[in-house]
Each structure stands twice: as structure tokens, then as C-alpha cells.
């Protein structure tokens, strides 16, 4: 398996999937999917599509990577977070998982550290008042002006 990319989708519409595909997959690449109708846009774009009907196929290896990553993320959520986390932080959790997964075979620990530092420097700055505000359990319902 190579590198992965994960993004929280607001819905399962073809538009949401198409946006992710166009932003993350190079034209001409082959995309392995199941037979769900939401992926039909792939046939129209500049991508190849390898379709597997999971319910009728004896080839369980075709989407092995998808099933593996999904299972590992479920284990992360159930094990580390005990199934309880704020949905607004889900993308952050997925980003951390992607970072670890994509560097799982890296031999150079210094390079991993360098990448972490680069991402921290490029990330949005967080101020102390915003952290305090976020720790307030009712902050989502009331706004301070």
C-alpha cells in the first residue's frame, strides 16, 4: 500500500466525492471503487475506474487497502478515544492518522520530526482565548461579543 488521504465528507453525494477526487487524485490515475452509484462521475472525468461488486465478487483483495484503513481508524476511535470525541475534531484526528500511516515505513526519524515542525509552522495560529473558549462546554451555544 502506498500513501493515503482522508477527508470528512459532509454527505455522501457525488458532488462531495467528486470534489475530493479532483483535489487529490491525478488525472489518468486508476480509482478502485465498489459499484455504488455515487462514483459514476469518475467515468466522465479524466480518471480510469476499476469497479468491484463486493457482494458478488470472490476477490476480497480488490479493496483490501480501503477495508484495512477503515478498520484501523475504527480501532483508533474506539480504543484511543473510547468512541467519544467531538465531531468538529474528526478531521484533525484523520490528519494525524494519515501523517502516521504515510510515514510508517520511514527509516529516518529526523525526517519525521522535520515534517512535524514544517506542518506546525504552516498551521493556523491558535490563541489562548480561543483555547479557553473551546474548553467551555456551552461555548457552542453562546457567543461572547
Amino acid at each position: 500500500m502506498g500513501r493515503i488521504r482522508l477527508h470528512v465528507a459532509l454527505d455522501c453525494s457525488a458532488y462531495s466525492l467528486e470534489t475530493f477526487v479532483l483535489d487529490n487524485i491525478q488525472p489518468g490515475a486508476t480509482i478502485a471503487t465498489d459499484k455504488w452509484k455515487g462514483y459514476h462521475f469518475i467515468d466522465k472525468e479524466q480518471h480510469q475506474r476499476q469497479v468491484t461488486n463486493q457482494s458478488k465478487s470472490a476477490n476480497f483483495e480488490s479493496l483490501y487497502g480501503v477495508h484495512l484503513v477503515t478498520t484501523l481508524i475504527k480501532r483508533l476511535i474506539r480504543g484511543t478515544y473510547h468512541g467519544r470525541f467531538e465531531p468538529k475534531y474528526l478531521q484533525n484526528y484523520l490528519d494525524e492518522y494519515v501523517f502516521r500511516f504515510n510515514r510508517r515505513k520511514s527509516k529516518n526519524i529526523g525526517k519525521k520530526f522535520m515534517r512535524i515542525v514544517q506542518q506546525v509552522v504552516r498551521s493556523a495560529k491558535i490563541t489562548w482565548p480561543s483555547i479557553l473558549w473551546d474548553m467551555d462546554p456551552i461555548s457552542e451555544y453562546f457567543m461572547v461579543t
Side-chain angles (χ1 to χ4, degrees):
M1 283 185 53
R3 298 172 60 86
I4 63 170
R5 295 201 178 157
L6 300 172
H7 185 72
V8 175
L10 297 176
D11 56 22
C12 295
S13 68
Y15 176 77
S16 295
L17 294 171
E18 184 175 13
T19 303
F20 179 80
V21 167
L22 294 177
D23 288 345
N24 292 289
I25 301 176
Q26 292 179 350
T30 301
I31 303 170
T33 68
D34 58 5
K35 208 168 177 168
W36 188 53
K37 293 179 185 177
Y39 295 117
H40 285 306
F41 71 89
I42 294 173
D43 298 330
K44 299 175 197 167
E45 296 298 326
Q46 303 170 353
H47 301 92
Q48 312 299 319
R49 182 175 175 209
Q50 178 184 353
V51 181
T52 302
N53 189 346
Q54 289 293 107
S55 61
K56 295 181 180 178
S57 175
N59 182 9
F60 298 109
E61 299 294 320
S62 61
L63 296 175
Y64 171 76
V66 174
H67 294 290
L68 174 69
V69 169
T70 303
T71 303
L72 291 173
I73 290 172
K74 286 180 183 179
R75 187 178 299 167
L76 171 78
I77 291 171
R78 289 183 185 143
T80 304
Y81 305 111
H82 304 287
R84 298 182 66 186
F85 62 92
E86 293 286 329
K88 64 182 176 181
Y89 298 122
L90 180 57
Q91 186 61 53
N92 293 340
Y93 298 146
L94 293 179
D95 290 344
E96 178 185 354
Y97 180 79
V98 166
F99 182 87
R100 291 177 185 218
F101 186 89
N102 289 342
R103 287 156 184 82
R104 69 194 182 281
K105 294 182 180 179
S106 178
K107 305 257 189 282
N108 190 345
I109 193 73
K111 194 171 189 178
K112 284 184 189 179
F113 180 74
M114 182 183 73
R115 294 288 182 230
I116 291 171
V117 170
Q118 286 176 339
Q119 288 185 357
V120 167
V121 169
R122 284 195 318 229
S123 68
K125 305 301 181 237
I126 300 173
T127 63
W128 180 247
S130 68
I131 293 173
L132 286 177
W133 176 255
D134 198 58
M135 290 171 31
D136 183 7
I138 61 172
S139 64
E140 295 177 25
Y141 303 105
F142 300 97
M143 292 186 57
V144 173
T145 55

